[in-house]
Structures are given as structure tokens and as C-alpha cells.
Amino acid sequence: MLTSADEAFMRHAMELAARGQYAAAPNPLVGCVIVSEDGTVIGEGWHRAHGAGHAEAEAYASVSKADRDLLARSTWYVTLEPCNHVGKTPACAGLIEQVAPKRVVIGLMDPNPRVKGGGMLRLQQAGIEVESGCLEDALRFQNRRFLWNMEQSRPWVVLKWAESADGFMDGRSEADRVPGSGGFAITGAEAQRLTHHWRALETGIAVGAQTALIDEPKLTVRLVDAASPAVVLLDPSGLITEALPTMQDREAVIHVSADPGQSIGSVHCAWDIGEDLDKLLASLYTDHELSSILVEGGATVLNAFLHADCWNEIKRWTAPRDLHSGLKAPVLPASCGRMPQGEASRGTEGPDTWEHFLHPRHVFE
Ligand code: AOF
Ligand code: ZN
């Protein structure tokens, strides 16, 4: 039976898991807490980065020599079912089997076909008491990108934009929106750090060719300590014919266009105007290993994702001033899913308000 103490330790493991938020993808966020029989935490670990040690191995390595004797009667709290495959690291279920603790509490079962119940079964067969489903809803939310990847073989898609109080994304007229004219600032300086955090959470940032040429956005994450996501330049009409100055230092630019011959990116992704967006998403996931993308605009691109129903989350800034005219912001879908309990769905940074919406198909409680 799961107790409130179990939930408290699992919550702690979940907080540890979150520390991998900028680097674990495409792997899930996983945390592990090892607790001695008297309720003392003797080990903590989390999956820091793709290719790095798994949470269980990290937690085990953190147990001091003096506490090793306590392991035999310990309980392990793992936010995700321990893996039973030798991948980039040895199987965690094998490690736990060797240590042979008294009990293992699993948050969420791992839907990865290479694991999928096999890790839990191995522990049970070794005579370890195993319980699963501790804080499952909250953990499904924390690992929503990974779960969607496993179920759909598509990246998790976050649409992001900023609009004025009266619903415009850009206050300039069409005639003034010419290449090189620069971005139109809607939000104030206070909003920047959170925007960089949002970028760093995803593996790619997608932007339409028009916006790339007019606004010349840098799409960096410099205000947070994270690696820059790949830029996905959506250019099915082939508007971009030479490297963009703002993206020259960028390691990964995926140029999405019909003609591989004119690619200016570090990689090319073939996609023609009129083809399904879902086909593009399948390719970004399978061929380009993007497990999530933040779609930053412009309006045409955001509307295309909304109309094709190819999105999972929306993050929207609203500034207090009116613009009266200009480029209309996308219209928020009539029904959006609720954020799970305990997760903020709106906030403010300086004068600006942000809101966070989920696709109605996603229900986390
Ligand atoms: C765990 N603990 O901390 C993580 C797990 O590429 P690899 O070899 O690191 O394996 C990644 C897969 O292992 C990943 O898709 C997921 O199924 C599981 N992740 N499992 O026991 C961890 N990160
Ligand atoms: Zn593992």
C-alpha cells in the first residue's frame, strides 16, 4: 500500500528529475531517492543528460560508504520504471536486483517497448516488493513529451506567441514589414528570461521563413544555462537562399524546404508546400531526432499548426497596451485542456501576462 510518506519521497524524486529539464531529451526526466528503513534519505540521483547515467545508478553512486549497509533494507523511489535493457548505460533493474533492497516504489511505468513492464517484472522475480502508480498523474505531466514521443513517434509541439491587449502580434503595416526590419517587441524586458526558459525546454525552435527574413530573430537561450535548441527554418516556398546572419554561429539549423539543392542549413529536411504538417513532424522526429519543438511564428505558421491540429501546448504572452492595427494574432482554440493541479497556468513578468494551455486531448488528472 502506498502511504503519504511514499508520496512525499516520490515528490522529492520528481523534483530531482526536473533538474534534467534542459538536457535529458529525448530521454525522459527521471529522479530516484533511496531511503533507509528509518526514513532517512541516503541516496539521490537524476538523469542529467541524454547519454549520462540513469537516475538509479546516480542515486546508488551517491550513497556514502558508511550507509552501504543500510541498502539491504532500503526503499527506492523511482519516478519511472527502471529499465531492463542495456542501452547507453547498464540496465537499472539489474543494478537494483544486485543491491536487493527491500522495496521499490515506481511512479510511472515506462512505455518504451524496450522496457514496458520488463523492469518491474525483473524486480518482482528477484523477490523485491514493488509498487507502482505513485503520483502517476503528476509524473505523466512531467514526462508528457516523452510519453507522446513513445505513443505517436512525433515531437511534442508547443505554439508560442505574444500579442497586444487588442490581439495583434505586430503593430506595423504590411508595407513596413520588410526583410531586415527587425522584430516588433510586444513584451517588455522582464518577459525575456521566461521566454528563454521555454525555448531551452524544447529540442527545436521552429520559425517561418518570412519571419526569419523580416525579424531576423536570434532564437537564443542566453538568459538560462542550457544548450541552444536546433533552429527549424520552415521554408517550403524556398524564400531563403543564403545563410541568415543571425544564425551563422548556430550549430544546428534544419532547413525545411522542397529543394535540397538550395539548403542553407547544417541539415536539410525535405517538405513541400501543400504536404501535410504531420508528415513534416514525422520526419523531424524520426530523421532529425527532435522530441519537441517550440513554434515561435509568424502568424501564418502558427495558424497552419492550429488548423492542422498539430499542437500539444500553447504558451501565450499578452501585453497591456493596444496596437489598434497590424498583424492579427492567432485565435486561441475554443476548448483547451486544463493544467494539472499544482501547475501554474498563468503568471506575470513585469507588465506582461503569460498563459499556458494544453490541447483538450491531454488530461492529466
Ligand atoms: C531508467 N532510468 O534514468 C532513465 C530511463 O539511451 P539510454 O540507454 O539512456 O536509454 C534510454 C531509455 O531508458 C529511455 O527511452 C527510457 O525508456 C529509459 N530511461 N530509465 O531506468 C533513467 N532515463
Ligand atoms: Zn535505467
Side-chain angles (χ1 to χ4, degrees):
M1 218 190 62
L2 292 165
T3 65
S4 56
D6 289 331
E7 289 197 355
F9 287 125
M10 189 59 82
R11 186 140 319 264
H12 181 44
M14 187 174 157
E15 284 159 9
L16 295 174
R19 297 185 189 178
Q21 64 183 345
Y22 294 150
N27 276 356
L29 299 174
V30 188
C32 175
V33 174
I34 305 176
V35 179
S36 70
E37 199 175 18
D38 72 356
T40 310
V41 174
I42 56 170
E44 291 179 337
W46 65 95
H47 188 52
R48 287 167 192 268
H50 181 224
H54 281 192
E56 299 88 324
E58 294 283 309
Y60 176 68
S62 80
V63 176
S64 72
K65 269 209 176 101
D67 285 343
R68 293 264 165 84
D69 293 347
L70 304 172
L71 282 167
R73 302 203 55 77
S74 65
T75 297
W76 292 43
Y77 294 88
V78 200
T79 60
L80 187 75
E81 178 190 14
C83 67
N84 188 31
H85 65 279
V86 179
K88 292 193 168 61
T89 65
C92 296
L95 166 73
I96 302 176
E97 189 182 24
Q98 262 176 14
V99 175
K102 192 165 163 270
R103 183 167 173 249
V104 174
V105 180
I106 296 171
L108 188 69
M109 295 300 282
D110 188 346
N112 185 341
R114 295 193 299 169
V115 185
K116 232 182 175 169
M120 175 156 137
L121 189 67
R122 179 161 175 183
L123 299 177
Q124 286 168 331
Q125 283 170 347
I128 300 166
E129 184 190 332
V130 186
E131 283 182 89
S132 66
C134 185
L135 294 189
E136 195 177 347
D137 289 338
L139 289 165
R140 276 176 51 232
F141 181 73
Q142 186 180 53
N143 267 319
R144 59 196 181 282
R145 296 168 180 79
F146 175 70
L147 297 178
W148 182 255
N149 296 161
M150 289 296 123
E151 285 162 17
Q152 305 287 330
S153 299
R154 299 286 183 277
W156 179 266
V157 175
V158 185
L159 308 183
K160 189 219 109 185
W161 71 86
E163 63 180 60
S164 60
D166 56 351
F168 292 96
M169 282 177 77
D170 192 320
R172 295 172 293 191
S173 70
E174 184 108 21
D176 289 335
R177 300 187 73 245
V178 292
S181 53
F184 185 90
I186 300 260
T187 48
E190 297 91 337
Q192 265 202 346
R193 208 206 67 86
L194 188 56
T195 296
H196 285 197
H197 167 68
W198 288 349
R199 285 177 180 161
L201 289 175
E202 318 304 341
T203 58
I205 305 174
V207 64
Q210 291 270 21
T211 303
L213 289 168
I214 296 168
D215 294 2
E216 298 185 332
K218 288 201 187 73
L219 307 175
T220 62
V221 297
R222 67 185 179 280
L223 299 177
V224 295
D225 185 16
S228 285
V231 171
V232 182
L233 266 182
L234 301 171
D235 185 24
S237 326
L239 299 177
I240 300 179
T241 50
E242 52 192 80
L244 300 170
T246 45
M247 291 177 199
Q248 241 148 19
D249 307 331
R250 203 72 177 216
E251 218 171 280
V253 175
I254 302 171
H255 191 188
V256 178
S257 70
D259 177 8
Q262 57 134 103
S263 176
I264 57 96
S266 51
V267 234
H268 181 257
C269 173
W271 185 67
D272 212 339
I273 200 120
E275 280 189 301
D276 275 353
L277 258 183
D278 185 63
K279 190 178 161 216
L280 170 65
L281 292 178
S283 170
L284 291 177
Y285 180 76
T286 310
D287 308 322
H288 301 282
E289 290 164 4
L290 295 186
S291 49
S292 68
I293 56 172
L294 183 73
V295 181
E296 292 228 8
T300 312
V301 168
L302 289 162
N303 280 319
F305 277 83
L306 284 167
H307 292 149
D309 203 27
C310 286
W311 63 280
N312 302 90
E313 253 179 76
I314 294 173
K315 289 174 171 172
R316 180 176 74 166
W317 286 105
T318 307
R321 64 180 170 136
D322 283 340
L323 287 172
H324 307 292
S325 64
L327 186 68
K328 275 231 165 278
V331 176
L332 204 66
S335 77
C336 286
R338 278 192 311 138
M339 295 292 283
Q341 231 188 342
E343 289 292 332
S345 56
R346 63 185 296 140
T348 55
E349 295 291 336
D352 307 313
T353 304
W354 60 268
E355 291 164 286
H356 193 160
F357 306 96
L358 289 170
H359 192 285
R361 77 169 84 80
H362 301 305
V363 179
F364 291 98
E365 56 194 331

